[in-house]
């Protein structure tokens, strides 16, 4: 499997860096929705993510949902409910 894009690797940084990375990822995904669809798991929320990071991750997950990953995304969103 190929390595994740450099911007995505920043998602393991501190929350402030994650947030900036997520905002940039959101812009990229708006232009090219399918670009990270196979990597939707990277945007699953962690229990210790700050709320502002969780909100960005959920928004990106929704943008990346496809027929292939819809069940996976729905199960994840169900965990948050």
């Amino acid at each position: 499997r190929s390595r994740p894009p450099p911007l995505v690797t920043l998602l393991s940084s501190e929350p402030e860096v994650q947030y900036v990375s997520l905002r940039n990822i959101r812009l990229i995904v708006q232009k090219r929705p399918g670009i990270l669809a196979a990597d939707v798991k990277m945007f699953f929320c962690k229990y210790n993510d700050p709320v502002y990071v969780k909100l960005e991750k959920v928004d990106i997950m929704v943008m990346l949902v496809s027929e292939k990953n819809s069940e996976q995304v729905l199960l994840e969103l169900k965990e948050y409910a």
Side-chain angles (χ1 to χ4, degrees), residues 24-44:
N24 283 284
I25 290 168
R26 177 201 282 260
L27 292 173
I28 293 167
V29 170
Q30 284 175 345
K31 297 280 184 191
R32 298 192 52 200
I35 198 166
L36 292 172
D39 301 311
V40 73
K41 273 188 167 184
M42 289 187 287
F43 302 103
F44 287 1

Side-chain angles (χ1 to χ4, degrees), residues 39-57:
D39 301 311
V40 73
K41 273 188 167 184
M42 289 187 287
F43 302 103
F44 287 1
C45 297
K46 296 177 178 67
Y47 74 95
N48 60 344
D49 282 340
V51 172
Y52 60 94
V53 168
K54 287 179 181 178
L55 291 173
E56 286 301 317
K57 285 182 174 183

Side-chain angles (χ1 to χ4, degrees), residues 2-13 17-18 20-22 24-25 28 35-36 39 42-43:
S2 64
R3 293 168 45 181
L7 193 56
V8 173
T9 60
L10 293 174
L11 294 179
S12 58
S13 302
V17 175
Q18 285 184 49
V20 172
S21 301
L22 289 165
N24 283 284
I25 290 168
I28 293 167
I35 198 166
L36 292 172
D39 301 311
M42 289 187 287
F43 302 103

